[in-house]
Amino acid sequence: MQSIDVITFGEAMAMFIADSCGPLHEINHYTMELAGAETNVAIGLAKLGYHASFVSKVGADAFGKFIMEKLQKHHVQVDQILTDTLFPTGFQLKSRVTQGDPEVQYFRKGSAASHLSISDFNERCFQKAKHLHMTGIPLALSSDTRNFAKHALSFFKNNAKKVSFDPNLRPKLWKTEKEMVDTINFFAKQANYVLPGLEEGIKLTGFEKPSDIASYYLDAGVELVIIKLGEKGAYYKSAKEEAIINGYPVEKIVDTVGAGDGFAVGVISGILENLPVEESVQRGNAIGALAVQSLGDNTGYPDKQELVHFINNQSQRSVRI
């Protein structure tokens, strides 16, 4: 088994992006791409040269084959993606927009990935991984995926390995907002690094200020909280330091989906290289800025050379607090 820098798990879907602007029901032509927050992170890290493994289930169908081939093309390890002959691969429709967030409709209920369970957990594979990245999406898919997530988190914590957690709130997937908040916070408080967006942080903690949101998780034992502030950059806080790292200017925003996952890619890459927090967050801001300038969830993610070139040719400053 190949070495693994980062392992992640969740649901990969086929994504049909509208070829023209307008309501989804009026679109006749779409382009198929790959979607999934965790696959975005795996692809982004693989592009930077890390060994990334994605754990999931797909159906024995054309979408499942598409996902496997797409991930392999991006050099993501797929040996832990199981094929389920009973349930299908999920997919989604995504509108094309000239500004703002696109409309997205999901067709994922009862998908193969929602049946990922503890019995599918490969201890040997997770043991070989240095870092676990989790999001809140698998927690909402089913009791099976939630139990798998609990098992993966416990395994990593028991082995004194690092875990990053991105809430990635999807309210439509939850029965109630309270269930969403309680469950997400249960997992977030056990992670080493928590990466919410500002609006997510407000909803999860009830606090308005980034410093108070961060303190909520730090007081629970989290090592570092990094809050995404959109075009303003990001705020981070640990027991020792806090700062705002300004974002990079973007002339034209094409598609905002995948920017948060790209941010996670930058931060995790910095953690793997033991960079100062400021430089890790800077990387996150850079990849997020590149991501919003291209269509597709991960098509704008850079390789290592492109990332370094982008950062070196942009002006950015941090604000110590």
Side-chain angles (χ1 to χ4, degrees):
M1 184 181 290
Q2 191 177 10
S3 64
I4 302 171
D5 294 312
V6 178
I7 193 166
T8 186
F9 60 89
E11 179 168 27
M13 290 176 286
M15 172 175 64
F16 292 89
I17 306 175
D19 288 343
S20 57
C21 295
L24 287 172
H25 70 279
E26 295 181 359
I27 304 301
N28 294 317
H29 300 284
Y30 293 82
T31 298
M32 185 163 65
E33 288 289 351
L34 175 65
E38 301 83 11
T39 55
N40 289 339
V41 172
I43 288 171
L45 288 165
K47 281 188 174 182
L48 292 178
Y50 299 99
H51 294 139
S53 177
F54 176 64
V55 181
S56 189
K57 278 186 174 181
V58 295
D61 47 41
F63 292 160
K65 291 178 181 177
F66 169 77
I67 288 167
M68 293 287 283
E69 291 182 2
K70 198 77 170 177
L71 288 171
Q72 286 175 312
K73 182 180 178 181
H74 285 295
H75 307 293
V76 173
Q77 295 178 32
V78 298
D79 55 303
Q80 295 304 308
I81 300 180
L82 307 175
T83 299
D84 194 317
T85 58
L86 296 177
F87 303 101
T89 308
F91 69 97
Q92 63 175 260
L93 303 180
K94 178 179 172 181
S95 68
R96 182 185 291 265
V97 295
T98 55
Q99 61 181 7
D101 295 334
E103 176 188 3
V104 179
Q105 291 187 7
Y106 297 100
F107 301 84
R108 69 197 306 177
K109 188 174 182 179
S111 67
S114 71
H115 290 85
L116 184 70
S117 65
I118 292 179
S119 63
D120 301 314
F121 186 86
N122 186 326
E123 183 173 308
R124 182 166 170 258
C125 181
F126 277 80
Q127 182 66 57
K128 289 180 68 69
K130 300 175 185 176
H131 184 104
L132 170 64
H133 179 66
M134 300 178 61
T135 83
I137 298 173
L139 311 181
L141 297 181
S142 68
S143 58
D144 281 341
T145 54
R146 191 178 303 181
N147 288 333
F148 182 96
K150 284 183 181 178
H151 192 72
L153 177 61
S154 295
F155 183 84
F156 252 68
K157 297 294 287 183
N158 290 339
N159 283 274
K161 296 186 177 187
K162 300 295 186 179
V163 179
S164 53
F165 184 82
D166 184 340
N168 246 318
L169 298 185
R170 298 289 189 276
K172 291 182 180 179
L173 296 179
W174 295 89
K175 293 179 181 178
T176 66
E177 182 172 307
K178 184 180 186 304
E179 181 189 31
M180 177 181 73
V181 170
D182 290 348
T183 304
I184 293 290
N185 280 334
F186 172 82
F187 281 84
K189 290 176 182 179
Q190 297 180 70
N192 301 91
Y193 316 103
V194 178
L195 316 172
L198 179 58
E199 293 303 317
E200 290 179 325
I202 293 171
K203 183 168 290 188
L204 289 169
T205 69
F207 294 110
E208 298 281 338
K209 296 180 180 179
S211 60
D212 293 332
I213 294 170
S215 293
Y216 175 85
Y217 293 109
L218 293 174
D219 291 344
V222 174
E223 292 178 29
L224 174 67
V225 180
I226 307 173
I227 301 173
K228 293 164 281 189
L229 305 176
E231 62 183 20
K232 294 180 180 179
Y235 163 88
Y236 74 83
K237 186 176 184 179
S238 68
K240 296 180 180 180
E241 60 179 329
E242 64 178 323
I244 293 174
I245 309 299
N246 288 349
Y248 292 96
V250 174
E251 289 186 10
K252 183 179 180 182
I253 296 177
V254 177
D255 188 345
T256 58
V257 179
D261 302 323
F263 181 88
V265 169
V267 169
I268 294 168
S269 73
I271 291 170
L272 291 172
E273 295 176 27
N274 294 313
L275 294 180
V277 178
E278 183 174 333
E279 291 184 35
S280 299
V281 177
Q282 184 182 43
R283 281 189 178 186
N285 284 342
I287 297 179
L290 288 167
V292 300
Q293 297 181 67
S294 62
L295 192 66
D297 289 8
N298 55 62
T299 51
Y301 294 175
D303 59 26
K304 194 63 168 291
Q305 185 177 356
E306 291 168 338
L307 176 60
V308 171
H309 180 268
F310 178 82
I311 291 175
N312 289 341
N313 286 273
Q314 299 288 326
S315 60
Q316 189 196 48
R317 62 187 179 84
S318 61
V319 180
R320 292 290 167 186
I321 298 175

